[in-house]
Structure formats: structure tokens, C-alpha cells
Amino acid sequence: MAEFDDLLGSQQPQEAPPMPEQPLDKEAYAAQKKEQREALFTLADETTLAVAADPAMFVQYLDTQARLDRYSATNVLLVMAQKPEATQLGSFDHWKQQRCSVQSGQTGISVLEPHRYTKEDGSPGTGYNVKKVFDVSQVDTRRLKPAPAPQCNERQLLAALIAASPVKVFGVDEMPDGSKMMIDPDSGAITVQRGIGFTDTFCCVAQGVTAAHLSGGPDSQMSTDFSAQCATYMLCKKYGVDTQSFDFSRADKVFSGQDAQAVKGELTQIRDAAEDISRLMSPQLEAPAKKQEARE
């Protein structure tokens, strides 16, 4: 009978089904989440110091912050460390609401989401949760409806910027010292040379407006001029204004001697100034589109 044995399949021992993961108890879960948060804060600090030490990376940070202007400086630094080419971020649920799906095998980008809570003494506190977001490049966007791009010409952009200024903006035919822009030390008023073209005019006005928004303050270790230049660059990037005239080749010298917390503080001030001005510009820039919609 042995000659027939080869026709009979051998029974393979069945593998035991995988044991279900035991849910973490409350303390273990809290410890895991704390470890994840601390790892992200460490990554943000490491990226901060790298950005402060390398002018090319500093420009990359400004570019990323300009694209992701709603995100904090810390979260933009985290995005840089994980997916520097990101352009549009959203959570899994966000993309689902947009009728899109995250592509299989994609790794989420970890950021820190603030939340308010009440401390044991009754005072308010701010904590952070780890949140996963995905770039649009990681998403199946076949069913995504593209948002209409605002149609703004150069005159509308400049008018919106001037409207966002907390100080007066004047134009003169000839500056006394041959410069393109001057800020009055007492009133903060901005005077700009006429006839220098849109790009230079926008940059000059933006430099003055951002300087007016930046306090400098006793805790700041950077000059208001440099901070205003950075915020102006970000505004130019956001609104498609040429940035070839900007030079950040000595940015590392500006941050020399600062630790990660100090640098992040400076980056936050710059980011907030650009975001505040952009927010104030929005009503002016949206008005033409609303008028067009009303006519249609």
C-alpha cells in the first residue's frame, strides 16, 4: 500500500489563531501617549536647531510655513521632518468628508493638536494630543472638487495689503535718502517710493506692515527688520509675488547662540505676523469674487 501513500496529501498542523491584543490599562495607555508626545517634541526641537543652523533649511521652513499657514510653527517643523514636500494636509476623517480616501499603505504625518483642560486646582491648562494627518499626495483625489482659486490682480493685492496696515501708508515721488521705503520712528507710518513697480512696492509695504505687527519685545533676540523680512517673504510666497530679491544666506548668524525654544518662539512670532496680515487681507481679496457670484 505504500506505493499509494504519495497520493495522499500530508496534513499540515494548523497554526494557532493570533492572540487578540490585550487592551492597555489606563496607566499604560497614558504612558504610551506621553512617550509619543515627547518623541514629537524632541523631533521638533532637533528640526528647529537644524533650521536655525542652515540658511537653506531656513528658507525651506519659510516656504513650508507659507504653504501650510494655518499650522503652528512647531507642527510645520514636524511636517518638514516627516514629509517636507507636503502642500495640503488633512486628517483621515477630513479626507473622507471630501469624498476622498487615503491610499493603501500610506504613513500618516504626526503632529501635535492642542486641547484645553482643567487642572486639579481649577485653573485652565493646555495639553497636546498626537494627531495623524495625510498630505493630498497620499490621497485618492479623483472625487475631490478643487476649491476655486481667488482671482486677484496686482492692484487688488496691494490695496488689500494697505487696508491691512495698522499704520498709514504714503507714497512720495522722491525719497530723501534714495531708499525705497522708510518707517517713521514715532508714528510708524510707512513711506514708499512711487514708480518702483509692483513687486518692490508690495515688498516695501509688506515690510513696513509686518514690522508694525511685530512687537520685538524684551524676549525677542532677533531684530524686527529680520523678522519682518521673513514674514514679508511668506506673504510673497502665499500670494505669488516674486521672491528673488530676498537673501537669507546669513540666517544662521541671526539665530547664533539660541536654543530650540528661543528659535521656535521667534518662528512663531514671524508666522503669527504673516497669518494676521493675511487674515486682514482676506475680506478685500474675497470681495471681487463675491460681487461676481452676486451678478451670476
Side-chain angles (χ1 to χ4, degrees):
M1 298 291 291
E3 64 267 31
F4 301 111
D5 289 348
D6 64 317
L7 299 177
L8 303 176
S10 299
Q11 185 178 22
Q12 299 296 325
Q14 293 184 351
E15 294 184 5
M19 294 294 291
E21 293 185 6
Q22 296 297 317
L24 296 175
D25 61 41
K26 188 175 181 179
E27 290 186 0
Y29 179 79
Q32 183 186 73
K33 292 300 179 184
K34 181 181 179 181
E35 183 179 356
Q36 292 173 353
R37 288 194 299 271
E38 289 178 348
L40 285 184
F41 280 119
T42 299
L43 178 60
D45 286 349
E46 292 171 350
T47 310
T48 299
L49 294 177
V51 163
D54 185 343
M57 279 195 71
F58 179 69
V59 173
Q60 183 184 9
Y61 162 78
L62 294 179
D63 289 343
T64 309
Q65 183 71 81
R67 292 196 306 271
L68 307 175
D69 55 346
R70 298 298 178 88
Y71 281 75
S72 68
T74 296
N75 278 335
V76 166
L77 290 161
L78 288 173
V79 173
M80 275 188 65
Q82 298 169 79
K83 198 171 184 64
E85 71 277 14
T87 59
Q88 184 181 350
L89 301 176
S91 65
F92 184 91
D93 288 339
H94 165 81
W95 290 117
K96 186 177 179 180
Q97 291 171 1
Q98 300 297 315
R99 303 175 67 197
C100 300
S101 59
V102 175
Q103 297 170 6
S104 176
Q106 293 295 329
T107 301
I109 304 164
S110 297
V111 295
L112 291 162
E113 183 176 45
H115 66 90
R116 303 287 291 175
Y117 71 97
T118 302
K119 299 180 181 178
E120 292 182 358
D121 61 5
S123 62
T126 301
Y128 293 90
N129 292 325
V130 176
K131 181 179 180 179
K132 293 287 187 179
V133 294
F134 299 87
D135 183 49
V136 66
S137 64
Q138 299 174 290
V139 175
D140 183 346
T141 58
R142 286 176 293 181
R143 301 176 70 184
L144 180 65
K145 293 182 179 180
Q151 301 296 320
C152 303
N153 58 38
E154 293 178 347
R155 181 178 180 84
Q156 289 167 336
L157 271 177
L158 187 57
L161 178 61
I162 293 172
S165 176
V167 296
K168 292 184 177 180
V169 179
F170 300 99
V172 295
D173 293 330
E174 186 175 350
M175 295 286 284
D177 58 356
S179 62
K180 295 178 180 179
M181 185 269 290
M182 180 176 65
I183 299 175
D184 187 280
D186 298 320
S187 66
I190 305 164
T191 304
V192 180
Q193 172 73 45
R194 290 194 180 101
I196 56 176
F198 167 73
T199 298
D200 283 344
T201 303
F202 185 93
C203 290
C204 286
V205 175
Q207 183 88 7
V209 174
T210 52
H213 276 73
L214 287 159
S215 62
D219 296 330
S220 176
Q221 299 182 42
M222 295 198 315
S223 71
T224 300
D225 286 346
F226 181 79
S227 298
Q229 183 186 15
C230 295
T232 296
Y233 176 89
M234 287 169 55
L235 288 170
C236 289
K237 276 291 184 179
K238 177 170 183 174
Y239 294 113
V241 180
D242 184 73
T243 58
Q244 292 185 25
S245 63
F246 288 85
D247 181 9
F248 295 107
S249 59
R250 295 180 58 81
D252 56 325
K253 305 298 188 296
V254 176
F255 292 107
S256 178
Q258 295 191 39
D259 61 18
Q261 295 307 309
V263 175
K264 278 194 288 187
E266 304 286 6
L267 297 182
T268 297
Q269 283 191 352
I270 294 168
R271 178 261 174 208
D272 290 350
E275 172 63 12
D276 286 346
I277 295 165
S278 180
R279 176 175 47 81
L280 292 171
M281 290 173 66
S282 291
Q284 285 274 116
L285 298 177
E286 293 170 358
K290 289 181 178 179
K291 287 182 180 179
Q292 180 65 28
E293 290 177 1
R295 285 196 295 267
E296 294 176 352

